[in-house]
Amino acid sequence: MDQYQSSSLYHQDFYCWTQQQAKALEERLVLELDWQHLQEEIQALGRQEYRELASRLGVLLGHLLKWEYQPENRSRSWFLTIREQRRAILRHLRQNPSLKSRIEEAMLDGFEAGVDLALRETNLPLRTFPENCPYLFDDIIADDFVCDTSQDWEGC
């Protein structure tokens, strides 16, 4: 399969293209590789890892905001979501350590999403929440910050 056919396959049958490219890589068939689309897909994979980090931070920050600003509605569900997201973020960073260089940016993106989540899930007005993230990354992933997830849920 030549470069043109491979590039055309990319648009017509992506799954088939991935299998053909994987085989060409395995067999080191350099002329069979669709270099342009391979580069784009590899970059997209990296962006996906960043988006997962920012998304998980958004869920964690949103639940921390709800926990802090609406204490009368604290629930086991919120507690478990905070616990789950802390663990998932740490696991994701262990698996992708170079993402640590983008923590500050991911915190900014995550905080915006977190405020939106808190607004959606509470009756609180926007002015209730700070404009900028009041938390540090090392704090929000600590088990005992705002909501102590190192203990069992007992109505914290």
Side-chain angles (χ1 to χ4, degrees), residues 15-132:
Y15 177 77
C16 184
W17 175 86
T18 64
Q19 301 311 295
Q20 182 262 333
Q21 292 298 296
K23 186 172 195 245
L25 285 168
E26 179 183 5
E27 296 177 7
R28 292 176 168 65
L29 300 173
V30 176
L31 297 177
E32 300 284 322
L33 295 173
D34 181 355
W35 292 101
Q36 177 188 352
H37 291 116
L38 279 172
Q39 176 189 2
E40 290 171 8
E41 290 303 320
I42 289 171
Q43 288 171 331
L45 288 172
R47 286 189 301 272
Q48 180 179 330
E49 295 303 317
Y50 171 80
R51 281 192 305 272
E52 180 176 342
L53 175 62
S55 175
R56 290 192 176 281
L57 284 168
V59 173
L60 174 58
L61 290 165
H63 279 76
L64 289 173
L65 289 168
K66 291 187 327 179
W67 192 271
E68 189 170 359
Y69 290 91
Q70 203 170 48
E72 66 279 5
N73 288 350
R74 289 177 181 168
S75 68
R76 186 172 197 274
S77 174
W78 291 4
F79 170 86
L80 292 173
T81 297
I82 291 168
R83 178 184 165 93
E84 174 188 4
Q85 293 306 316
R86 283 176 171 158
R87 290 175 174 212
I89 289 165
L90 290 172
R91 186 172 42 254
H92 193 62
L93 289 172
R94 277 194 308 273
Q95 293 168 352
N96 300 280
S98 64
L99 278 174
K100 291 176 184 170
S101 68
R102 298 192 63 196
I103 290 291
E104 190 174 321
E105 179 184 359
M107 286 284 290
L108 290 172
D109 290 341
F111 184 69
E112 287 179 354
V115 169
D116 290 344
L117 182 149
L119 288 169
R120 240 185 351 268
E121 296 184 6
T122 68
N123 290 320
L124 300 172
L126 177 60
R127 67 180 173 277
T128 302
F129 304 107
E131 280 187 40
N132 299 306

